Amino acid sequence: MARPRKPLLSTDRIVETARALVDAEGLAAVSTRRLAAELGVSGPSLYNHFRTKDEILEAVADSVSGQVDLSMFQDGRDWRAALHDWAVSYRAALRDHPNIVPVLARGPGRRPAGLRLADAVYGAMVEAGWPPAQATSIGALMRYFVMGSALGSFAGGFVDDASAYDPADYPHLQQAHRLAEQQEKIDERAFETGLTALLDGLAGQYERIRRSAQSRRADQIAGK
């Protein structure tokens, strides 16, 4: 009876396996030896696809960037709605793969999906009328905010033991032990609160920039 054939080793299969390992055990769990064992292949065969462990982690990071929806920058949504919807999709991808965030935080480097993400955000802001310098700052600001929200849970950082919050020491934390049980709801609300505040602030800046540009054009027409 013929022996069952092993699935062919491919770049995608290596990345999928490495991503699952990072999700389950963290960055430190990834090694060429461990990956080879998980894939049922010899260690040297991985080098036909990746030269180093760092290259594998870069590919895992890019696969997560590739999960972020970018359609909102192409379907006619205004810049504010597009940024909001993109941030929600971005956070969802990072929330599903939080252990890879430290690699993503280094910036896109040469990663194709990461560069497409940066290009989409920057291009949409410039097309909406933001000056290039501000468009760059917006991309950076949104990345800081979304990645920060994915690094940990605020509500999950409190223990569910009421005795840990003695009113004599913490008079305003008498209900803190109840935060953990509503972790997802509280964290989602906090993210939306912060995102709305951020976008409100940007909207104010945008209006000032637009009025300034209109004033300059009026002055030029008047010959001033």
Side-chain angles (χ1 to χ4, degrees):
M1 182 176 179
R3 297 173 62 185
R5 296 178 60 188
K6 293 181 180 178
L8 292 175
L9 189 62
S10 66
T11 297
D12 287 345
R13 187 167 168 240
I14 295 170
V15 171
E16 289 171 6
T17 302
R19 186 174 61 229
L21 196 55
V22 171
D23 288 345
E25 301 182 33
L27 295 172
V30 178
S31 67
T32 52
R33 178 179 296 182
R34 178 71 184 278
L35 274 175
E38 294 286 335
L39 290 161
V41 300
S42 63
S45 63
L46 297 177
Y47 296 118
N48 294 323
H49 301 272
F50 295 99
R51 292 175 296 177
T52 65
K53 167 187 168 178
D54 284 344
E55 281 192 0
I56 295 172
L57 291 178
E58 287 287 310
V60 170
D62 209 40
S63 74
V64 173
S65 293
Q67 295 175 13
V68 181
D69 184 14
L70 299 177
S71 64
M72 64 286 296
F73 297 118
Q74 303 160 351
D75 62 9
R77 269 172 267 192
D78 66 75
W79 68 267
R80 176 174 175 147
L83 273 185
H84 175 278
D85 295 345
W86 168 72
V88 171
S89 177
Y90 194 8
R91 179 172 178 260
L94 300 190
R95 185 184 57 211
D96 290 342
H97 308 283
N99 292 335
I100 200 64
V101 171
V103 180
L104 286 165
R106 300 171 191 165
R110 297 177 181 273
R111 299 183 221 119
L115 289 171
R116 283 193 293 272
L117 187 155
D119 180 73
V121 175
Y122 176 80
M125 295 306 102
V126 171
E127 288 177 9
W130 286 96
Q134 273 97 339
T136 299
S137 295
I138 289 170
L141 169 65
M142 297 299 291
R143 192 165 73 90
Y144 299 152
F145 176 71
V146 175
M147 285 195 176
S149 74
L151 285 174
S153 164
F154 172 80
F158 293 85
V159 298
D160 61 358
D161 180 3
S163 67
Y165 309 104
D166 188 332
D169 296 319
Y170 315 109
H172 305 295
L173 296 181
Q174 295 181 36
Q175 300 300 314
H177 64 286
R178 301 178 63 183
L179 293 175
E181 68 185 29
Q182 301 184 59
Q183 176 179 331
E184 184 174 352
K185 179 180 178 180
I186 291 170
D187 289 345
E188 287 288 340
R189 188 171 62 221
F191 178 76
E192 280 292 340
T193 298
L195 182 56
T196 298
L198 188 156
L199 293 174
D200 283 347
L202 288 177
Q205 290 185 32
Y206 184 75
E207 285 305 308
R208 289 192 292 274
I209 290 170
R210 189 176 63 83
R211 287 196 298 268
S212 178
Q214 290 173 341
S215 178
R216 286 196 301 271
R217 285 196 295 269
D219 287 347
Q220 290 171 353
I221 293 172
K224 294 182 180 180

